Coordinates of all heavy atoms in Angstrom, one line a residue:
M1 N 0.8 -1.2 0.0 CA 0.0 0.0 0.0 C 0.9 1.3 0.0 O 0.5 2.2 -0.6 CB -0.9 0.0 1.2 CG -1.9 1.0 1.3 SD -3.2 0.7 2.5 CE -3.0 -0.9 3.1
C2 N 2.0 1.2 0.7 CA 3.0 2.3 0.6 C 4.4 1.8 0.8 O 4.6 0.8 1.4 CB 2.6 3.4 1.6 SG 2.9 3.0 3.4
I3 N 5.3 2.6 0.3 CA 6.7 2.3 0.4 C 7.3 3.4 1.4 O 6.9 4.5 1.2 CB 7.4 2.3 -0.9 CG1 6.9 1.2 -1.8 CG2 8.9 2.2 -0.8 CD1 7.4 1.3 -3.2
T4 N 8.1 3.0 2.3 CA 8.7 3.9 3.3 C 10.2 4.1 3.1 O 10.9 3.1 3.0 CB 8.4 3.4 4.7 OG1 7.0 3.1 4.8 CG2 8.8 4.4 5.7
Y5 N 10.6 5.3 3.1 CA 12.0 5.6 3.1 C 12.3 6.3 4.4 O 11.5 7.2 4.8 CB 12.4 6.6 1.9 CG 11.9 6.1 0.6 CD1 10.7 6.5 0.0 CD2 12.7 5.2 -0.1 CE1 10.4 6.0 -1.3 CE2 12.3 4.7 -1.4 CZ 11.2 5.1 -1.9 OH 10.8 4.7 -3.2
A6 N 13.4 5.9 5.1 CA 13.7 6.6 6.4 C 15.1 6.8 6.5 O 16.0 6.0 6.0 CB 13.2 5.7 7.5
V7 N 15.5 8.0 7.1 CA 16.9 8.3 7.3 C 17.0 8.8 8.7 O 16.3 9.8 9.1 CB 17.3 9.5 6.3 CG1 18.7 9.9 6.6 CG2 17.1 9.1 4.9
P8 N 17.8 8.1 9.5 CA 18.0 8.6 10.9 C 18.7 9.9 10.9 O 19.5 10.1 10.0 CB 18.8 7.5 11.6 CG 18.9 6.4 10.6 CD 18.4 6.9 9.3
R9 N 18.5 10.7 11.9 CA 19.2 12.0 11.9 C 20.6 11.7 12.3 O 20.9 10.9 13.2 CB 18.5 12.9 13.0 CG 17.1 13.2 12.6 CD 16.9 14.7 12.3 NE 15.6 14.9 11.8 CZ 14.6 15.3 12.7 NH1 14.8 15.5 13.9 NH2 13.4 15.5 12.2
S10 N 21.5 12.4 11.7 CA 23.0 12.1 12.0 C 23.4 12.9 13.2 O 22.7 13.8 13.7 CB 23.8 12.6 10.8 OG 23.6 14.0 10.6
V11 N 24.5 12.5 13.8 CA 25.1 13.2 14.9 C 25.4 14.6 14.6 O 25.8 14.9 13.5 CB 26.4 12.5 15.4 CG1 27.0 13.2 16.5 CG2 26.1 11.1 15.7
G12 N 25.0 15.5 15.4 CA 25.1 16.9 15.1 C 23.7 17.5 14.8 O 23.5 18.7 15.1
D13 N 22.9 16.8 14.2 CA 21.5 17.2 14.0 C 20.8 17.0 15.4 O 21.3 16.3 16.2 CB 20.8 16.4 13.0 CG 21.3 16.7 11.6 OD1 21.9 17.8 11.4 OD2 21.0 15.9 10.7
D14 N 19.7 17.6 15.6 CA 19.0 17.4 16.8 C 18.2 16.1 16.8 O 17.2 16.0 16.2 CB 18.0 18.6 17.0 CG 17.4 18.6 18.4 OD1 17.7 17.7 19.2 OD2 16.5 19.4 18.6
E15 N 18.9 15.1 17.4 CA 18.3 13.7 17.3 C 17.1 13.6 18.2 O 16.3 12.6 18.0 CB 19.4 12.7 17.8 CG 20.6 12.6 16.9 CD 21.7 11.7 17.4 OE1 21.5 11.0 18.4 OE2 22.8 11.7 16.8
E16 N 16.8 14.5 19.0 CA 15.6 14.4 19.9 C 14.5 15.3 19.3 O 13.4 15.4 20.0 CB 15.9 14.8 21.3 CG 16.9 13.8 22.0 CD 16.4 12.4 22.0 OE1 15.2 12.2 22.3 OE2 17.2 11.5 21.7
A17 N 14.7 15.9 18.2 CA 13.6 16.7 17.6 C 12.5 15.8 17.1 O 12.8 14.6 16.7 CB 14.2 17.6 16.5
P18 N 11.3 16.3 17.0 CA 10.2 15.4 16.4 C 10.6 14.9 15.0 O 11.2 15.6 14.3 CB 9.0 16.3 16.4 CG 9.3 17.4 17.4 CD 10.8 17.6 17.4
A19 N 10.1 13.8 14.7 CA 10.3 13.2 13.4 C 9.7 14.1 12.3 O 8.7 14.8 12.6 CB 9.6 11.8 13.3
R20 N 10.3 14.1 11.1 CA 9.7 14.8 10.0 C 9.2 13.8 9.0 O 9.8 12.8 8.8 CB 10.8 15.7 9.4 CG 11.3 16.8 10.3 CD 12.2 17.7 9.7 NE 13.5 17.0 9.3 CZ 14.6 17.6 8.9 NH1 14.6 18.9 8.8 NH2 15.6 16.9 8.6
F21 N 8.0 14.2 8.4 CA 7.4 13.3 7.5 C 7.1 13.9 6.1 O 6.8 15.1 6.1 CB 6.0 12.8 8.0 CG 6.2 12.0 9.3 CD1 6.1 12.6 10.5 CD2 6.4 10.6 9.3 CE1 6.3 11.9 11.7 CE2 6.6 9.9 10.4 CZ 6.5 10.5 11.6
G22 N 7.3 13.2 5.1 CA 6.9 13.6 3.7 C 6.1 12.6 3.0 O 6.1 11.4 3.4
F23 N 5.3 13.0 2.0 CA 4.4 12.1 1.4 C 4.5 12.3 -0.1 O 4.6 13.4 -0.6 CB 3.0 12.5 1.8 CG 2.8 12.5 3.3 CD1 2.8 13.7 3.9 CD2 2.7 11.3 4.0 CE1 2.7 13.8 5.3 CE2 2.6 11.4 5.4 CZ 2.6 12.6 6.0
I24 N 4.6 11.2 -0.8 CA 4.6 11.2 -2.3 C 3.3 10.4 -2.8 O 3.2 9.2 -2.4 CB 5.8 10.5 -2.8 CG1 7.1 11.2 -2.3 CG2 5.8 10.4 -4.4 CD1 8.4 10.4 -2.6
I25 N 2.5 11.1 -3.4 CA 1.3 10.5 -4.0 C 1.2 10.8 -5.4 O 0.9 12.0 -5.8 CB 0.0 11.0 -3.2 CG1 0.0 10.5 -1.7 CG2 -1.3 10.3 -3.8 CD1 0.5 11.6 -0.8
S26 N 1.5 9.9 -6.3 CA 1.6 10.2 -7.7 C 0.2 10.1 -8.4 O -0.8 9.6 -7.8 CB 2.5 9.2 -8.4 OG 1.9 7.9 -8.5
K27 N 0.1 10.5 -9.6 CA -1.1 10.5 -10.3 C -1.6 9.1 -10.6 O -2.8 8.9 -10.9 CB -1.0 11.2 -11.7 CG -0.9 12.7 -11.5 CD -0.9 13.4 -12.9 CE -0.8 14.9 -12.7 NZ -0.8 15.6 -14.0
A28 N -0.8 8.1 -10.4 CA -1.2 6.7 -10.6 C -2.2 6.3 -9.5 O -3.0 5.3 -9.6 CB 0.0 5.8 -10.5
V29 N -2.2 7.0 -8.4 CA -3.1 6.7 -7.3 C -4.5 7.1 -7.6 O -5.5 6.4 -7.2 CB -2.7 7.4 -6.0 CG1 -3.7 7.3 -4.9 CG2 -1.3 6.9 -5.5
G30 N -4.7 8.2 -8.4 CA -6.1 8.6 -8.8 C -6.1 10.0 -9.1 O -5.0 10.7 -9.2
N31 N -7.3 10.6 -9.2 CA -7.4 12.0 -9.5 C -7.0 12.9 -8.3 O -6.7 12.4 -7.2 CB -8.9 12.3 -10.0 CG -9.9 12.1 -8.9 OD1 -9.6 12.0 -7.7 ND2 -11.1 12.0 -9.3
A32 N -7.1 14.2 -8.5 CA -6.6 15.1 -7.4 C -7.4 14.9 -6.1 O -6.8 15.0 -5.0 CB -6.7 16.5 -7.9
V33 N -8.7 14.7 -6.2 CA -9.5 14.5 -5.0 C -9.0 13.3 -4.2 O -8.8 13.3 -3.0 CB -11.0 14.4 -5.4 CG1 -11.8 14.0 -4.2 CG2 -11.5 15.7 -6.0
M34 N -8.8 12.2 -4.9 CA -8.3 10.9 -4.3 C -6.9 11.1 -3.7 O -6.6 10.7 -2.6 CB -8.3 9.8 -5.3 CG -7.9 8.5 -4.7 SD -8.8 7.9 -3.2 CE -10.4 7.7 -3.9
R35 N -6.0 11.8 -4.5 CA -4.6 12.0 -4.0 C -4.6 12.8 -2.7 O -3.9 12.6 -1.8 CB -3.8 12.6 -5.1 CG -3.5 11.7 -6.2 CD -2.4 12.3 -7.2 NE -2.6 13.6 -7.6 CZ -3.2 14.0 -8.7 NH1 -3.8 13.1 -9.5 NH2 -3.3 15.3 -9.0
N36 N -5.5 13.9 -2.7 CA -5.5 14.7 -1.5 C -6.1 14.0 -0.3 O -5.7 14.2 0.8 CB -6.3 16.0 -1.8 CG -5.5 17.0 -2.6 OD1 -4.3 17.1 -2.4 ND2 -6.1 17.7 -3.5
L37 N -7.1 13.1 -0.5 CA -7.7 12.3 0.5 C -6.6 11.4 1.1 O -6.5 11.4 2.4 CB -8.9 11.5 0.0 CG -9.5 10.5 1.0 CD1 -10.1 11.2 2.1 CD2 -10.4 9.6 0.3
I38 N -5.9 10.7 0.3 CA -4.8 9.9 0.8 C -3.7 10.7 1.6 O -3.3 10.3 2.7 CB -4.1 9.1 -0.4 CG1 -5.2 8.2 -1.1 CG2 -2.9 8.3 0.1 CD1 -5.8 7.2 -0.2
R39 N -3.4 11.8 1.0 CA -2.4 12.7 1.7 C -2.9 13.1 3.1 O -2.2 13.1 4.1 CB -2.0 13.9 0.9 CG -1.0 14.8 1.5 CD -0.9 16.1 0.8 NE -2.1 16.9 0.7 CZ -2.7 17.6 1.7 NH1 -2.0 17.6 2.9 NH2 -3.8 18.2 1.5
R40 N -4.2 13.5 3.2 CA -4.7 14.0 4.4 C -4.8 12.8 5.5 O -4.5 13.0 6.6 CB -6.1 14.6 4.2 CG -6.1 15.9 3.6 CD -7.5 16.6 3.7 NE -8.6 15.7 3.2 CZ -9.0 15.7 1.9 NH1 -8.4 16.4 1.0 NH2 -10.0 14.9 1.6
R41 N -5.1 11.6 5.0 CA -5.1 10.5 5.9 C -3.7 10.2 6.4 O -3.5 10.0 7.6 CB -5.7 9.3 5.2 CG -7.2 9.3 5.0 CD -7.7 8.2 4.2 NE -9.1 8.2 4.1 CZ -9.9 7.3 3.5 NH1 -9.3 6.3 2.9 NH2 -11.2 7.4 3.5
M42 N -2.7 10.2 5.5 CA -1.3 9.9 5.9 C -0.8 11.0 6.9 O -0.1 10.7 7.8 CB -0.4 9.8 4.7 CG -0.7 8.6 3.8 SD 0.3 8.6 2.4 CE 1.1 7.0 2.6
K43 N -1.2 12.3 6.6 CA -0.8 13.4 7.4 C -1.4 13.2 8.8 O -0.7 13.5 9.8 CB -1.2 14.7 6.8 CG -0.6 15.9 7.5 CD -0.8 17.1 6.8 CE -0.1 18.2 7.4 NZ -0.7 19.3 8.0
S44 N -2.6 12.8 8.9 CA -3.2 12.6 10.2 C -2.5 11.5 11.0 O -2.3 11.7 12.2 CB -4.7 12.2 10.0 OG -5.3 11.9 11.2
V45 N -2.1 10.4 10.4 CA -1.4 9.4 11.1 C 0.0 9.9 11.5 O 0.4 9.6 12.6 CB -1.3 8.1 10.2 CG1 -0.4 7.1 10.8 CG2 -2.7 7.6 9.9
A46 N 0.6 10.7 10.6 CA 1.9 11.2 11.0 C 1.8 12.1 12.2 O 2.7 12.1 13.1 CB 2.5 12.0 9.8
D47 N 0.7 12.9 12.3 CA 0.5 13.7 13.5 C 0.4 12.9 14.7 O 0.9 13.3 15.8 CB -0.7 14.6 13.3 CG -0.6 15.7 12.3 OD1 0.6 16.1 12.0 OD2 -1.6 16.2 11.8
E48 N -0.2 11.7 14.6 CA -0.3 10.8 15.8 C 1.1 10.4 16.2 O 1.4 10.3 17.4 CB -1.1 9.6 15.4 CG -2.6 9.9 15.2 CD -3.4 8.6 14.8 OE1 -2.8 7.5 14.9 OE2 -4.5 8.8 14.4
F49 N 1.9 10.1 15.2 CA 3.3 9.7 15.5 C 4.1 10.8 16.3 O 4.8 10.5 17.3 CB 4.1 9.3 14.3 CG 3.6 8.1 13.5 CD1 3.7 8.0 12.2 CD2 3.1 7.0 14.2 CE1 3.2 6.9 11.5 CE2 2.6 5.9 13.5 CZ 2.7 5.9 12.2
I50 N 3.9 12.0 15.9 CA 4.6 13.1 16.5 C 4.0 13.3 18.0 O 4.8 13.4 18.9 CB 4.4 14.4 15.7 CG1 5.1 14.3 14.4 CG2 4.8 15.6 16.5 CD1 4.9 15.4 13.4
R51 N 2.7 13.1 18.2 CA 2.2 13.2 19.5 C 2.6 12.1 20.4 O 2.8 12.2 21.6 CB 0.6 13.2 19.5 CG 0.0 14.5 19.1 CD -1.5 14.6 19.3 NE -2.2 13.5 18.7 CZ -2.7 13.5 17.4 NH1 -2.5 14.6 16.7 NH2 -3.4 12.5 16.9
D52 N 2.9 10.9 19.8 CA 3.4 9.7 20.5 C 4.9 9.8 20.8 O 5.4 8.9 21.5 CB 3.0 8.4 19.8 CG 1.5 8.1 19.7 OD1 0.8 8.7 20.5 OD2 1.1 7.3 18.9
G53 N 5.5 10.8 20.3 CA 6.9 11.0 20.6 C 8.0 10.4 19.7 O 9.1 10.1 20.1
V54 N 7.6 10.1 18.5 CA 8.6 9.6 17.5 C 9.6 10.7 17.2 O 9.2 11.8 16.8 CB 7.9 9.1 16.2 CG1 9.0 8.6 15.2 CG2 7.0 8.0 16.5
T55 N 10.9 10.4 17.4 CA 11.9 11.4 17.2 C 13.1 10.9 16.4 O 13.2 9.7 16.3 CB 12.5 11.9 18.6 OG1 13.0 10.8 19.3 CG2 11.4 12.6 19.4
G56 N 14.0 11.8 16.0 CA 15.2 11.4 15.4 C 15.2 10.7 14.1 O 16.2 10.1 13.7
V57 N 14.2 10.9 13.3 CA 14.1 10.2 12.0 C 13.4 11.1 11.0 O 12.5 11.9 11.4 CB 13.5 8.8 12.1 CG1 12.0 8.9 12.5 CG2 13.7 8.0 10.8
D58 N 13.8 11.0 9.7 CA 13.0 11.7 8.7 C 12.4 10.6 7.8 O 13.2 9.7 7.4 CB 13.9 12.5 7.8 CG 14.5 13.7 8.6 OD1 13.9 14.2 9.5 OD2 15.6 14.2 8.2
M59 N 11.1 10.6 7.6 CA 10.5 9.5 6.9 C 9.7 10.0 5.7 O 9.0 11.1 5.8 CB 9.6 8.7 7.8 CG 10.3 8.0 8.9 SD 9.1 7.0 9.9 CE 9.0 5.6 8.9
V60 N 9.7 9.3 4.6 CA 8.9 9.6 3.4 C 8.0 8.4 3.1 O 8.6 7.3 3.0 CB 9.7 10.1 2.2 CG1 8.9 10.3 1.0 CG2 10.6 11.3 2.5
F61 N 6.8 8.6 3.0 CA 5.8 7.6 2.6 C 5.4 7.8 1.2 O 4.9 8.9 0.8 CB 4.6 7.5 3.5 CG 4.9 7.2 4.9 CD1 5.1 8.2 5.9 CD2 5.0 5.9 5.3 CE1 5.4 7.8 7.2 CE2 5.3 5.5 6.6 CZ 5.5 6.5 7.6
R62 N 5.6 6.8 0.3 CA 5.2 6.8 -1.1 C 3.9 5.9 -1.2 O 4.0 4.7 -1.1 CB 6.3 6.4 -2.0 CG 6.0 6.5 -3.4 CD 7.2 6.2 -4.3 NE 6.8 5.5 -5.4 CZ 7.3 4.4 -5.9 NH1 8.3 3.9 -5.4 NH2 6.8 3.9 -7.0
A63 N 2.8 6.6 -1.5 CA 1.6 5.8 -1.7 C 1.5 5.1 -3.0 O 1.9 5.6 -4.1 CB 0.4 6.8 -1.6
L64 N 1.1 3.8 -3.0 CA 1.0 3.0 -4.2 C -0.5 3.1 -4.6 O -1.4 3.4 -3.8 CB 1.4 1.6 -3.9 CG 2.8 1.4 -3.4 CD1 3.1 -0.1 -3.0 CD2 3.8 1.8 -4.5
P65 N -0.8 2.8 -5.9 CA -2.1 2.9 -6.4 C -3.2 2.1 -5.5 O -4.3 2.5 -5.4 CB -2.0 2.3 -7.8 CG -0.6 2.6 -8.2 CD 0.2 2.5 -7.0
K66 N -2.7 1.0 -4.9 CA -3.6 0.2 -4.1 C -4.2 1.0 -2.9 O -5.2 0.7 -2.3 CB -2.9 -1.0 -3.6 CG -3.7 -2.0 -2.8 CD -2.9 -3.2 -2.4 CE -3.7 -4.2 -1.6 NZ -2.9 -5.3 -1.2
S67 N -3.5 2.1 -2.5 CA -3.9 2.9 -1.3 C -5.2 3.6 -1.6 O -5.9 4.0 -0.7 CB -2.8 3.9 -0.9 OG -2.5 4.8 -1.9
A68 N -5.6 3.8 -2.9 CA -6.8 4.5 -3.2 C -8.0 3.7 -2.7 O -9.0 4.3 -2.4 CB -6.9 4.7 -4.7
S69 N -7.9 2.4 -2.6 CA -9.1 1.6 -2.2 C -9.0 1.2 -0.7 O -9.8 0.5 -0.2 CB -9.2 0.4 -3.0 OG -8.1 -0.4 -2.9
A70 N -7.9 1.7 0.0 CA -7.7 1.3 1.4 C -8.5 2.2 2.3 O -8.6 3.4 2.0 CB -6.2 1.4 1.7
S71 N -8.9 1.7 3.4 CA -9.6 2.5 4.4 C -8.5 3.2 5.3 O -7.3 3.0 5.2 CB -10.4 1.6 5.4 OG -9.5 0.8 6.2
F72 N -9.0 4.2 6.1 CA -8.1 4.9 7.0 C -7.4 4.0 7.9 O -6.2 4.1 8.1 CB -8.9 6.0 7.7 CG -8.1 6.8 8.7 CD1 -7.3 7.8 8.2 CD2 -8.1 6.5 10.0 CE1 -6.5 8.5 9.1 CE2 -7.3 7.3 10.9 CZ -6.5 8.3 10.4
D73 N -8.1 3.0 8.5 CA -7.5 2.1 9.4 C -6.4 1.2 8.7 O -5.3 0.9 9.3 CB -8.5 1.2 10.0 CG -9.4 1.9 11.1 OD1 -8.9 2.9 11.7 OD2 -10.5 1.5 11.2
E74 N -6.6 0.8 7.5 CA -5.6 0.1 6.8 C -4.3 0.9 6.5 O -3.2 0.4 6.7 CB -6.1 -0.4 5.4 CG -7.2 -1.5 5.6 CD -7.9 -1.8 4.3 OE1 -8.1 -0.9 3.4 OE2 -8.2 -3.0 4.1
I75 N -4.5 2.2 6.2 CA -3.4 3.1 6.0 C -2.7 3.3 7.3 O -1.4 3.2 7.3 CB -3.9 4.4 5.4 CG1 -4.3 4.2 3.9 CG2 -2.8 5.5 5.4 CD1 -5.0 5.4 3.3
R76 N -3.4 3.5 8.4 CA -2.8 3.6 9.7 C -1.9 2.4 10.1 O -0.8 2.5 10.5 CB -3.8 3.9 10.8 CG -3.2 4.0 12.2 CD -4.3 4.1 13.2 NE -4.8 5.4 13.3 CZ -6.1 5.7 13.5 NH1 -7.0 4.7 13.7 NH2 -6.5 6.9 13.6
R77 N -2.5 1.2 9.9 CA -1.8 0.0 10.2 C -0.5 -0.1 9.4 O 0.6 -0.5 10.0 CB -2.7 -1.2 10.0 CG -3.6 -1.5 11.2 CD -4.2 -2.9 11.1 NE -4.9 -3.1 9.8 CZ -6.2 -2.8 9.7 NH1 -6.9 -2.3 10.6 NH2 -6.8 -3.1 8.5
E78 N -0.6 0.2 8.2 CA 0.6 0.1 7.3 C 1.7 1.0 7.7 O 2.9 0.7 7.8 CB 0.2 0.3 5.8 CG 1.3 0.2 4.8 CD 1.6 -1.2 4.5 OE1 0.8 -2.1 4.8 OE2 2.7 -1.4 3.9
M79 N 1.3 2.3 8.0 CA 2.3 3.3 8.4 C 2.8 2.9 9.8 O 4.0 3.1 10.1 CB 1.7 4.6 8.4 CG 1.4 5.2 7.0 SD 0.5 6.7 7.0 CE 1.8 7.9 7.6
Q80 N 2.0 2.4 10.7 CA 2.5 2.0 12.1 C 3.5 0.9 11.9 O 4.5 0.9 12.7 CB 1.3 1.6 13.0 CG 0.5 2.8 13.4 CD -0.8 2.4 14.2 OE1 -1.3 1.2 14.0 NE2 -1.3 3.3 15.0
R81 N 3.2 -0.1 11.1 CA 4.1 -1.2 10.8 C 5.5 -0.7 10.4 O 6.5 -1.1 10.9 CB 3.6 -2.2 9.8 CG 4.4 -3.4 9.6 CD 4.0 -4.1 8.3 NE 4.1 -3.3 7.1 CZ 5.2 -3.0 6.5 NH1 6.4 -3.4 6.9 NH2 5.2 -2.2 5.4
A82 N 5.5 0.3 9.5 CA 6.7 0.8 9.0 C 7.5 1.6 10.0 O 8.7 1.4 10.2 CB 6.4 1.8 7.8
V83 N 6.8 2.4 10.9 CA 7.5 3.1 11.9 C 8.0 2.1 13.0 O 9.2 2.3 13.4 CB 6.5 4.1 12.6 CG1 7.1 4.7 13.8 CG2 6.2 5.2 11.6
R84 N 7.3 1.1 13.3 CA 7.8 0.1 14.3 C 9.1 -0.5 13.8 O 10.0 -0.7 14.5 CB 6.8 -0.9 14.6 CG 5.8 -0.6 15.6 CD 5.0 -1.8 16.1 NE 4.3 -2.5 15.1 CZ 3.1 -2.3 14.6 NH1 2.4 -1.3 15.0 NH2 2.6 -3.0 13.6
K85 N 9.1 -0.9 12.5 CA 10.2 -1.5 11.9 C 11.4 -0.6 11.9 O 12.5 -1.0 12.2 CB 9.9 -1.9 10.4 CG 11.0 -2.7 9.8 CD 10.6 -3.1 8.4 CE 11.7 -3.8 7.7 NZ 11.4 -4.2 6.3
I86 N 11.2 0.7 11.6 CA 12.4 1.6 11.6 C 12.9 1.8 13.0 O 14.1 1.9 13.2 CB 11.9 3.0 11.0 CG1 11.5 2.8 9.5 CG2 12.9 4.1 11.2 CD1 12.6 2.3 8.6
R87 N 12.0 2.0 14.0 CA 12.4 2.2 15.4 C 13.1 1.0 16.0 O 13.9 1.2 16.9 CB 11.2 2.6 16.2 CG 10.7 4.0 15.8 CD 9.5 4.3 16.6 NE 10.0 5.1 17.8 CZ 9.2 5.5 18.7 NH1 7.9 5.3 18.7 NH2 9.6 6.1 19.8
S88 N 12.8 -0.2 15.5 CA 13.5 -1.4 16.1 C 14.9 -1.6 15.5 O 15.6 -2.4 16.0 CB 12.6 -2.6 15.9 OG 12.5 -2.9 14.5
E89 N 15.2 -1.0 14.4 CA 16.5 -1.2 13.7 C 17.6 -0.5 14.4 O 17.5 0.5 15.1 CB 16.5 -0.8 12.3 CG 15.6 -1.7 11.4 CD 15.5 -1.2 10.0 OE1 16.0 -0.1 9.6 OE2 14.9 -2.0 9.2

């Protein structure tokens, strides 16, 4: 549903600063309305991560066309899985 790219903050950067998130939603996902819906859902989940205290990483989520038919909960689970994987490394 999405591909995740993550880069830990290097020494010298503020490793305790809140995580930063970016989103890539191409035209393959759907029309502008669908792309904005997916972006808003992903942004909402990213805001939850910041409130939960995710720090020291820059992450970019690239939505795949399958995300157009995914529910909010499916997108949240997919993004949570990616963040857990990054934090455990």
Side-chain angles (χ1 to χ4, degrees):
M1 188 166 351
C2 70
I3 297 173
T4 307
Y5 306 96
V7 178
R9 300 249 175 92
S10 61
V11 176
D13 289 341
D14 189 3
E15 295 176 8
E16 295 304 315
R20 295 184 295 189
F21 297 93
F23 309 100
I24 301 170
I25 296 98
S26 74
K27 288 185 178 181
V29 172
N31 63 18
V33 173
M34 180 56 66
R35 292 192 310 268
N36 284 326
L37 174 67
I38 300 301
R39 181 191 55 80
R40 286 192 309 270
R41 288 178 175 179
M42 293 177 124
K43 189 172 188 244
S44 176
V45 175
D47 289 341
E48 291 176 13
F49 294 146
I50 292 170
R51 283 192 305 270
D52 291 343
V54 176
T55 60
V57 67
D58 296 333
M59 299 184 78
V60 175
F61 293 96
R62 185 172 143 227
L64 299 175
K66 187 178 177 182
S67 62
S69 62
S71 69
F72 180 77
D73 287 331
E74 290 171 326
I75 291 172
R76 176 187 283 143
R77 279 194 302 271
E78 182 79 13
M79 290 176 69
Q80 287 172 337
R81 182 195 59 78
V83 168
R84 277 194 307 271
K85 184 176 179 184
I86 296 301
R87 292 179 90 181
S88 67
E89 292 178 353

